[in-house]
Amino acid sequence: MTDTLEQLEERVRSGDDTVTPEEIEQARVMGRFATLRQEAADRRAAKESAAAAARERATRIAEARRLLAGHGLDDVAELYVAARDALSALVAACDGRTEAVDAAARLLVSTDGVEARWDGSPKNSRVDLDGVRHTALPPGPVVQALVGRLAEARPDKLPLDYTHSLAAKLRPPREIPLDAAVARVEG
């Protein structure tokens, strides 16, 4: 085993006459060479580590892009607009139903053999005709039931903030006049 530069220098200090200047110079050169080799290995390891980190980063970014593809705000905005338009159509249909029941009740309120109620308030109008009771359908409770039931069906109840959920805010009515018709449509 070859002595290191420090060991050779200590031997000289201790009085060992067998150590030559060439051995000390050789040890100095070998020590420096070993240091350079270690620096080269460290640089290579750092480059490999940086390359591995860059590959990992690129992989994560590619995976994030894959996860986000098809889930942009424009995609959600299109569904939002469609839902808003559908909800507007539902509200208009409820208003149309209420107006029709009110007009029919006004028409039939004094007709013999027909049970109709009309007191001037569309929300109170009612007509029993051909074995079917026709009542007003105010859109508020219908929208409340629709959104409230959707929120109730979710495990998180559609949180609005840290203390409230949409389900808690919109406790849907147990039943709305539309429920039986919805059940028939859903089969």
Side-chain angles (χ1 to χ4, degrees):
M1 175 173 182
T2 307
D3 288 337
T4 66
L5 177 61
E6 292 81 20
Q7 290 170 329
L8 289 172
E9 288 175 344
E10 186 56 37
R11 282 176 51 198
V12 170
R13 286 187 196 101
S14 298
D16 185 346
D17 293 337
T18 63
V19 177
T20 65
E22 292 79 21
E23 286 178 303
I24 289 179
E25 188 57 32
Q26 179 70 21
R28 186 182 325 274
V29 169
M30 292 307 287
R32 178 69 180 138
F33 185 71
T35 299
L36 291 173
R37 293 290 264 197
Q38 185 60 50
E39 287 175 9
D42 292 346
R43 284 182 184 181
R44 191 169 36 254
K47 282 181 186 178
E48 289 172 4
S49 177
R55 285 191 302 274
E56 176 66 22
R57 179 181 179 275
T59 298
R60 287 181 182 195
I61 289 172
E63 177 64 9
R65 283 188 177 122
R66 185 194 67 75
L67 290 169
L68 293 171
H71 297 285
L73 286 179
D74 288 346
D75 301 322
V76 176
E78 285 181 27
L79 295 171
Y80 177 92
V81 168
R84 182 194 62 205
D85 293 348
L87 202 53
S88 292
L90 176 62
V91 167
C94 290
D95 287 339
R97 161 75 180 196
T98 297
E99 291 167 10
V101 169
D102 186 57
R106 189 173 345 150
L107 181 68
L108 298 173
V109 72
S110 59
T111 303
D112 290 338
V114 176
E115 188 178 327
R117 178 176 151 195
W118 183 78
D119 63 5
S121 173
K123 69 179 182 175
N124 295 328
S125 296
R126 182 183 80 231
V127 174
D128 289 334
L129 190 62
D130 301 326
V132 177
R133 176 165 280 186
H134 301 274
T135 59
L137 189 61
V142 172
V143 171
Q144 178 185 8
L146 175 66
V147 177
R149 288 173 182 166
L150 174 68
E152 284 289 332
R154 286 180 51 106
D156 65 358
K157 306 296 184 205
L158 286 178
L160 293 171
D161 55 30
Y162 295 111
T163 58
H164 297 94
S165 71
L166 195 56
K169 293 264 187 198
L170 292 179
R171 293 266 183 240
R174 284 199 177 290
E175 189 175 310
I176 58 173
L178 191 58
D179 286 342
V182 169
R184 285 192 300 275
V185 168
E186 289 179 334

